[in-house]
Amino acid sequence: MGNDGTHRAGLDERIGALKERIYATVTGLAILAGLYTAEHVTAGESIFALAVGIFAIAAAGFVAEVIAHQIGHRAFPRGRELAVMGRTAAVALGTASLPLLALLLALCGVLTLNAALLIGMGIDAFVLVGIVLLASARSGLSLGQRLVASTLLLALVAAVAIALLLAHGH
């Protein structure tokens, strides 16, 4: 495989983990927004909804990777390949940690549920803006082009989050 192959594999793993983080963060943002707009939701129900939603997107990503590998390589992934897929899926689970912490503080009475949901949405929005700005900075575009690209990417992220929110009937 050599040094270039090892570097490429590491880069592919980081790219896959970043994609999972983006999927899970957009999903988490939509779940939190849906909970914020829902009536009569408890902190416990919110924790459950966010945890299950993020687990579901991570599991879906893992299953998609396994299936795509089987189709592309005509073999079930083994060893390192399967470990990479598992680590990539686990990254998605980590995206919910700070919003879940805010919800746990609401469960303990330290925060109101609305405050915890707003904090969670703020965290997810901050992460998404940071990722978009990082992508823009690494794009090689001029400053003006980066501004346009970042604005368009953030608009697309918002559209996806709104679509997820609407799909859940909120």
Side-chain angles (χ1 to χ4, degrees):
M1 191 190 256
N3 196 24
D4 286 342
T6 303
H7 174 72
R8 174 69 183 177
L11 179 61
D12 288 346
E13 183 176 346
R14 288 191 307 276
I15 289 170
L18 181 59
K19 287 190 306 187
E20 287 299 318
R21 180 174 295 279
I22 294 166
Y23 298 149
T25 304
V26 172
T27 301
L29 180 59
I31 290 168
L32 292 165
L35 291 166
Y36 185 76
T37 60
E39 294 183 23
H40 310 297
V41 176
T42 67
E45 291 166 338
S46 298
I47 290 167
F48 180 78
L50 183 60
V52 169
I54 297 302
F55 175 80
I57 196 74
F62 178 78
V63 169
E65 287 290 327
V66 170
I67 292 170
H69 184 278
Q70 283 181 255
I71 290 170
H73 296 278
R74 296 180 181 204
F76 192 83
R78 290 190 229 151
R80 185 184 184 303
E81 296 164 329
L82 202 55
V84 166
M85 291 174 191
R87 281 194 306 271
T88 300
V91 166
L93 297 174
T95 64
S97 58
L98 290 176
L100 280 171
L101 179 61
L103 291 172
L104 284 170
L105 291 173
L107 185 66
C108 295
V110 175
L111 294 173
T112 66
L113 178 56
N114 281 346
L117 291 168
L118 286 171
I119 289 169
M121 287 186 289
I123 290 166
D124 283 348
F126 180 79
V127 167
L128 290 168
V129 168
I131 290 170
V132 166
L133 293 177
L134 177 63
S136 178
R138 291 189 171 193
S139 67
L141 300 172
S142 70
L143 181 60
Q145 291 170 323
R146 286 195 312 250
L147 181 61
V148 170
S150 294
T151 302
L152 289 173
L153 285 173
L154 289 172
L156 287 171
V157 166
V160 169
I162 290 167
L164 285 168
L165 184 61
L166 292 173
H168 288 90
H170 294 90

